[in-house]
């Protein structure tokens, strides 16, 4: 199943809007961003190695029962494809990126949340974390992805699994993810504790602080 995220201000039938060309791009790209066709690689520290036999994906914290998948089990989950624009806090935006993987919604279907659970801390290799409200985590277009533009992810872009949260600046899209922790109270992740904005909405230019 493919899902294309409608972009902000997308002209719709019946509104009399035409859009197109530069005008369309202007309304599609958040303030202070430029469009690139490249796909820059950005992360802290070295690219982690991947061992298929020991890799797992876990859900823990405020859940009735913890959940763990091996690599092969995780890859059996139902997949979907999402086409979305992504926005990096350093200024580049990339339009119509195409991802394939498991929706965050599908992943959470396998646990029962405790009623206090309101935040998600995403855990990646080497202690990298990023935080999201449950609502931001569960947006329809969010994926745990292993394919990008029809190809398996490369190691530097997050192989074997990365989160993709197109609605927020791209640092929330943790590469090399290994699990999620459900929390009652928000806890800043890696970049968030170094001064990046706690939420990171590109349309509000929530880059640093706050
Ligand atoms: N594990 C991990 N994921 C990470 C980061 C990181 O340092 N470690 N950096 C984030 C930042 S700041 C950005 S902009 C994007 C970049 O993704 P890309 O290298 O695929 O473009 O990854 C995000 N995911
Ligand atoms: Mo970034």
């Amino acid at each position: 199943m493919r899902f294309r995220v409608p972009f902000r201000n997308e002209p719709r039938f019946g509104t009399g809007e035409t859009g197109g060309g530069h005008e369309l791009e202007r309304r599609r790209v958040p303030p202070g961003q430029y469009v690139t066709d490249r796909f820059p690689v950005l992360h802290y520290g070295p690219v982690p190695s991947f061992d298929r036999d020991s890799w797992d994906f876990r859900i823990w914290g405020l859940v009735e029962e913890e959940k763990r998948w091996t690599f092969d089990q995780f890859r059996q989950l139902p997949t979907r494809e999402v086409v979305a624009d992504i926005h990096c806090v350093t200024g580049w935006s990339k339009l119509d990126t195409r991802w394939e993987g498991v929706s965050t919604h599908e992943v959470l279907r396998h646990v029962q949340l405790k009623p206090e659970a309101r935040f998600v801390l995403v855990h990646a290799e080497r202690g990298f974390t990023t935080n999201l409200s449950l609502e931001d985590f569960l947006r329809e277009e969010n994926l745990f992805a292993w394919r990008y533009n029809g190809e398996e992810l490369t190691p530097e872009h997050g192989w074997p699994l990365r989160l993709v949260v197109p609605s927020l600046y791209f640092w929330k899209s943790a590469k090399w993810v290994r699990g999620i922790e459900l929390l009652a109270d928000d806890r800043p992740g890696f970049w968030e504790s170094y001064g990046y904005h706690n939420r990171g909405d590109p349309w509000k230019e929530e880059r640093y602080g706050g």
Side-chain angles (χ1 to χ4, degrees):
M1 178 173 72
R2 177 180 294 195
F3 174 68
R4 185 176 73 77
V5 180
F7 43 87
R8 177 83 52 120
N9 307 324
E10 181 163 18
R12 290 172 205 283
F13 285 114
T15 62
E17 291 181 90
T18 47
H22 289 302
E23 171 61 12
L24 184 62
E25 188 170 295
R26 188 183 65 74
R27 289 190 290 156
R28 184 170 174 181
V29 178
Q33 297 290 113
Y34 64 89
V35 173
T36 182
D37 289 327
R38 296 175 47 242
F39 193 1
V41 172
L42 287 166
H43 55 261
Y44 177 78
V47 174
S49 57
F50 165 59
D51 173 41
R52 192 188 173 112
D53 295 328
S54 59
W55 190 94
D56 61 5
F57 186 94
R58 296 197 306 122
I59 307 181
W60 72 96
L62 294 174
V63 288
E64 295 298 342
E65 219 176 306
E66 295 190 359
K67 177 76 190 170
R68 176 180 180 269
W69 287 274
T70 64
F71 181 76
D72 292 329
Q73 288 166 342
F74 196 86
R75 296 287 296 249
Q76 296 304 311
L77 293 171
T79 64
R80 71 188 307 216
E81 200 174 279
V82 168
V83 178
D85 301 343
I86 56 176
H87 312 290
C88 175
V89 71
T90 60
W92 54 269
S93 290
K94 202 166 163 56
L95 306 183
D96 290 324
T97 61
R98 183 159 56 89
W99 305 90
E100 207 179 315
V102 182
S103 75
T104 52
H105 194 270
E106 166 64 29
V107 165
L108 265 201
R109 234 171 40 75
H110 296 261
V111 289
Q112 201 189 327
L113 300 188
K114 293 196 172 164
E116 318 85 87
R118 286 185 49 228
F119 295 92
V120 177
L121 192 63
V122 180
H123 291 260
E125 299 284 356
R126 314 176 114 264
F128 181 86
T129 52
T130 189
N131 57 311
L132 296 157
S133 68
L134 199 51
E135 193 187 348
D136 280 333
F137 176 78
L138 280 175
R139 282 182 66 97
E140 181 177 13
E141 64 273 20
N142 295 349
L143 281 187
F144 288 103
W146 56 79
R147 288 173 75 79
Y148 166 75
N149 278 359
E151 313 256 358
E152 305 280 283
L153 286 180
T154 58
E156 61 272 24
H157 284 298
W159 176 259
L161 191 69
R162 80 173 300 161
L163 181 61
V164 179
V165 178
S167 59
L168 300 174
Y169 282 125
F170 209 42
W171 84 76
K172 296 280 185 186
S173 295
K175 304 193 276 192
W176 315 297
V177 280
R178 291 291 299 274
I180 56 171
E181 181 181 5
L182 278 297
L183 300 167
D185 300 304
D186 202 5
R187 192 192 299 165
F190 177 82
W191 291 113
E192 293 83 2
S193 63
Y194 280 103
Y196 281 39
H197 194 280
N198 193 57
R199 177 146 186 266
D201 180 346
W203 293 95
K204 297 181 184 156
E205 285 211 80
E206 293 174 342
R207 295 175 193 272
Y208 310 101

